[in-house]
């Protein structure tokens, strides 16, 4: 997946590769969950899912070269035999099970959120955040999710969390290579990270960057310059700079 | 995880967070009672299993069991066997307000005012940052909370969820965590005020104006409105204290002979 720098890699290519490879790993990982669903003709129970996903999740968190802080499988409505909603998610240094997911309101909690709805509706991987994750990590987080399919139907999502501060360590140099005022932004144009001290994570910097024409986004308002937009392939990310 | 989340889960996390300094059954019990009186754990809600409680709160399974036994003997939880079994909260609303009024009676006006100031400092800063940082989708998400079926939620829960969600839109994890901590402490008292339909309706209206301020990107107005809400809550609580009189056994006879 890596192309050598300076050999015609488009700007932003290194950033795109970083995120695309995480989604690719997650997709590969989710094969284990698909296999669980395809192992029997009837829907699995909560217990069967937990018993199978726990070693998978611990493997995902343990073997990744990235500092992932949580990961697992979140079921679609009525995908399991004995629960409307279910979340098999492990996180933290001690890899503890997220116990809240055993509670009734879990479905209410996750069924309408971006990290769940986008992969479920589009059938594609998604990157959500940065956001204050008061459900799992309790931290400022970015979440990667991919749909899990079995027998032609989407039975849930597989996901992993990484802290925004970890991305800072991993990607700052690559953003800086694009420019000292460049910023990596998410789907809504919110800053994930930037070397520019004025551009804090969370700042809504370039809403509507998807509408850029020939790589330039017209910015309204007096004294504001147009922004250069480098898309990260078809990921919901871009690097913008003045 | 993000937008349109249920702050209930955050509050639940606070209830079941690891106990610092030696896990003891009494502290597990106090935490759960705190969760009940704060309206985080509602009547009929299933508690985590003994093993889950133990892991989550950092105590031995036997300690968690002891706490559940104590809660059962107080009639605050009931255990059912079978496939749909588990331990459930058993608390009609009336009992909950009795728990809270007892606590209110034990607080001085000075303490109430001070709790309000602290809560307002956190909440209003969060509202200000949310108005700076939120996009249209975020604003729609918090508006949806207010448009929940009237009567679907216990009064006060809607506004509580709204404020927590607003705190998360500040993009600050620390501020959000602090908000949750204070909400469990002070916000649970405000639940008493929300049980008054006039107060609740006024405050829901005020929250709608907060959404308008966030939508209009007006941080100063968002901050001011949150302060108005908390001030109104403190006034309501002080008036309620005055009407109900002091807690039994706290009167001091200072009449001079």
């Amino acid at each position: 997946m890596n192309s050598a720098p300076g050999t015609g890699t488009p700007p932003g290519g290194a950033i795109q590769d970083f995120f695309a490879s995480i989604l690719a790993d997650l997709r590969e990982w989710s094969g284990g969950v698909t296999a669980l669903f395809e192992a029997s003709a009837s829907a699995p129970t909560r217990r069967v899912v937990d018993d199978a996903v726990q070693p998978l999740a611990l493997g995902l968190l343990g073997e990744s070269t990235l500092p992932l802080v949580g990961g697992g499988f979140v079921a679609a409505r009525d995908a399991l035999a004995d629960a409307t909603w279910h979340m098999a998610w492990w996180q933290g240094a001690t890899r503890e099970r997220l116990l809240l997911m055993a509670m009734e309101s879990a479905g209410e909690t996750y069924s309408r959120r971006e990290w769940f709805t986008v992969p479920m509706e589009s059938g594609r991987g998604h990157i959500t955040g940065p956001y204050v994750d008061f459900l799992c990590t309790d931290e400022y987080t970015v979440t990667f999710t991919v749909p899990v399919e079995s027998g032609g139907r989407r039975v849930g999502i597989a996901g992993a969390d990484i802290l925004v501060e970890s991305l800072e360590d991993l990607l700052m140099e690559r953003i800086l290579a694009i420019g000292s005022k460049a910023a990596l932004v998410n789907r809504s144009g919110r800053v994930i990270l930037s070397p520019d001290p004025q551009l804090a994570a969370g700042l809504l910097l370039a809403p509507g960057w998807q509408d850029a024409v020939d790589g330039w986004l017209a910015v309204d308002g007096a004294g504001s310059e147009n922004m250069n937009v480098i898309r990260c392939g078809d990921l919901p990310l871009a690097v913008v700079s003045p | 995880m993000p937008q349109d989340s249920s702050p209930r889960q955050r509050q639940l996390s606070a209830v079941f967070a690891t106990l610092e300094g030696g896990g003891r059954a009494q502290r597990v019990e106090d935490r759960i009672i705190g969760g009940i009186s704060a309206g985080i754990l509602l009547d009929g809600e299933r508690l985590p299993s003994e093993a889950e409680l133990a892991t989550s709160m950092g105590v031995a399974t036997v300690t968690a069991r002891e706490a559940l036994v104590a809660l059962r003997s107080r009639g605050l939880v009931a255990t059912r066997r079978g496939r749909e079994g588990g331990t459930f909260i058993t608390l009609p609303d009336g009992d909950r307000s009795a728990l809270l009024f007892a606590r209110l009676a034990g607080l001085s006006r000075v303490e109430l005012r001070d709790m309000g100031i602290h809560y307002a400092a956190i909440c209003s800063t969060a509202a200000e940052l949310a108005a700076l940082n939120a996009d249209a989708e975020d604003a729609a998400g918090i508006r949806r909370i207010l448009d929940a079926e009237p009567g679907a939620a216990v009064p006060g829960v809607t506004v509580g969820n709204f404020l927590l969600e607003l705190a998360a839109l500040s993009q600050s994890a620390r501020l959000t965590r602090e908000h949750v901590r204070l909400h469990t402490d002070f916000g649970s008292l405000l639940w008493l005020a929300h049980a008054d339909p006039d107060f609740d309706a006024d405050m829901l209206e005020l929250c709608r104006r907060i959404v308008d301020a966030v939508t209009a990107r007006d941080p100063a107005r968002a901050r001011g409105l949150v302060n108005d809400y908390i001030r109104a809550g403190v006034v309501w609580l002080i008036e309620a204290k005055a009407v109900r009189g002091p807690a039994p056994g706290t009167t001091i006879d200072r009449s001079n002979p």
Side-chain angles (χ1 to χ4, degrees):
Chain A
M1 258 297 327
N2 288 326
S3 35
T7 53
T9 313
I15 309 266
Q16 184 186 326
D17 290 351
F18 173 88
F19 286 98
S21 72
I22 295 176
L23 286 174
D25 290 351
L26 206 48
R27 235 172 254 117
E28 189 182 337
W29 181 84
S30 72
V33 185
T34 298
L36 160 73
F37 275 84
E38 292 182 342
S40 80
S42 56
T45 60
R46 274 180 299 192
R47 170 154 299 189
V48 166
V49 166
D50 287 351
D51 290 350
V53 174
Q54 181 164 14
L56 288 173
L58 302 192
L60 172 76
L61 301 178
E63 290 158 26
S64 174
T65 53
L66 295 166
L68 300 178
V69 289
F73 167 73
V74 181
R77 188 187 180 97
D78 294 328
L80 305 195
D82 60 348
T84 313
W85 301 105
H86 189 64
M87 205 165 175
W89 196 270
W90 280 264
Q91 67 169 42
T94 53
R95 303 281 179 254
E96 69 217 23
R97 171 80 196 279
L98 205 61
L99 92 93
L100 297 177
M101 300 311 111
M103 304 195 69
E104 331 295 78
S105 42
E108 281 303 302
T109 304
Y110 68 70
S111 63
R112 286 188 3 211
R113 307 219 197 145
E114 189 185 330
W115 52 264
F116 181 78
T117 56
V118 173
M120 287 299 292
E121 284 163 17
S122 69
R124 302 171 43 151
H126 191 59
I127 299 165
T128 305
Y131 66 99
V132 176
D133 174 13
F134 48 53
L135 177 58
C136 299
T137 62
D138 228 2
E139 289 289 352
Y140 207 43
T141 305
V142 168
T143 300
F144 295 82
T145 46
V146 299
V148 177
E149 302 191 355
S150 164
R153 112 173 231 260
R154 289 182 196 136
V155 293
I157 59 103
D161 287 334
I162 191 164
L163 301 186
V164 178
E165 64 182 32
S166 304
L167 292 176
E168 204 173 289
D169 293 337
L170 293 161
L171 297 173
M172 196 60 93
E173 289 301 317
R174 301 186 208 190
I175 306 282
L176 195 55
I178 296 172
S180 63
K181 291 190 179 305
L184 176 65
V185 300
N186 72 359
R187 184 178 73 159
S188 356
R190 193 181 294 288
V191 173
I192 299 172
L193 71 141
S194 168
D196 184 344
Q198 302 281 356
L199 303 179
L203 177 76
L204 204 56
L205 179 67
W209 58 261
Q210 292 85 346
D211 301 334
V213 178
D214 295 333
W216 288 93
L217 179 67
V219 176
D220 303 333
S224 41
E225 302 170 51
N226 287 352
M227 269 189 286
N228 178 244
V229 177
I230 301 166
R231 292 164 194 265
C232 297
D234 55 0
L235 298 174
L237 301 170
V239 179
V240 301
S241 49
Chain B
M1 297 162 152
Q3 275 94 2
D4 198 19
S5 50
S6 147
R8 275 191 44 66
Q9 296 294 332
R10 266 305 287 114
Q11 297 172 302
L12 284 166
S13 304
V15 174
F16 300 121
T18 311
L19 286 166
E20 317 258 317
R24 300 263 308 287
Q26 183 61 54
R27 303 199 45 214
V28 174
E29 192 188 340
D30 288 347
R31 263 285 185 75
I32 292 172
I33 291 173
I36 295 170
S37 61
I40 295 164
L41 298 170
L42 300 173
D43 187 39
E45 185 137 22
R46 189 215 304 250
L47 279 173
S49 71
E50 281 170 10
E52 285 169 332
L53 275 176
T55 308
S56 176
M57 298 172 89
V59 299
T61 310
V62 63
T63 307
R65 182 172 312 145
E66 199 182 321
L68 291 179
V69 167
L71 289 164
R72 256 194 298 279
S73 69
R74 294 180 61 162
L76 292 172
V77 304
T79 301
R80 293 203 294 269
R81 304 256 166 250
R83 209 182 74 123
E84 289 298 308
T87 299
F88 299 84
I89 304 288
T90 48
L91 186 92
D93 278 352
D95 299 3
R96 193 165 137 233
S97 61
L99 281 179
L100 285 167
F101 272 120
R103 195 177 146 217
L104 178 63
L107 290 165
S108 67
R109 288 184 184 210
V110 170
E111 264 175 311
L112 277 172
R113 185 192 55 100
D114 215 17
M115 284 164 97
I117 288 171
H118 190 182
Y119 188 65
I122 300 296
C123 272
S124 65
T125 300
E128 185 179 317
L129 290 169
L132 282 170
N133 289 321
D135 65 7
E137 218 173 310
D138 296 330
I142 52 173
R143 197 181 293 278
R144 239 198 318 270
I145 298 172
L146 299 175
D147 293 338
E149 298 278 313
V154 176
V157 168
T158 304
V159 171
N161 285 352
F162 172 83
L163 290 173
L164 280 169
E165 199 69 66
L166 187 70
L169 294 182
S170 70
Q171 309 290 319
S172 164
R174 272 174 189 255
L175 207 55
T176 308
R177 288 195 293 264
E178 186 63 2
H179 180 101
V180 168
R181 203 178 63 77
L182 294 174
H183 183 81
T184 307
D185 185 31
F186 181 68
S188 61
L189 288 170
L190 287 179
W191 180 85
L192 285 173
H194 281 281
D196 167 353
D198 291 342
F199 180 91
D200 192 48
D202 286 352
M203 295 307 123
L204 281 167
E205 186 48 42
L206 195 142
C207 290
R208 287 199 175 82
R209 289 164 52 207
I210 294 172
V211 180
D212 292 342
V214 168
T215 308
R217 290 283 173 86
D218 188 341
R221 194 151 58 93
R223 172 182 273 280
L225 288 165
V226 168
N227 283 328
D228 291 348
Y229 164 70
I230 294 161
R231 223 182 345 260
V234 170
V235 167
W236 193 97
L237 290 171
I238 289 175
E239 282 176 347
K241 255 179 78 72
V243 168
R244 294 177 76 96
T250 58
T251 42
I252 299 166
D253 186 5
R254 292 200 186 284
S255 54
N256 289 321

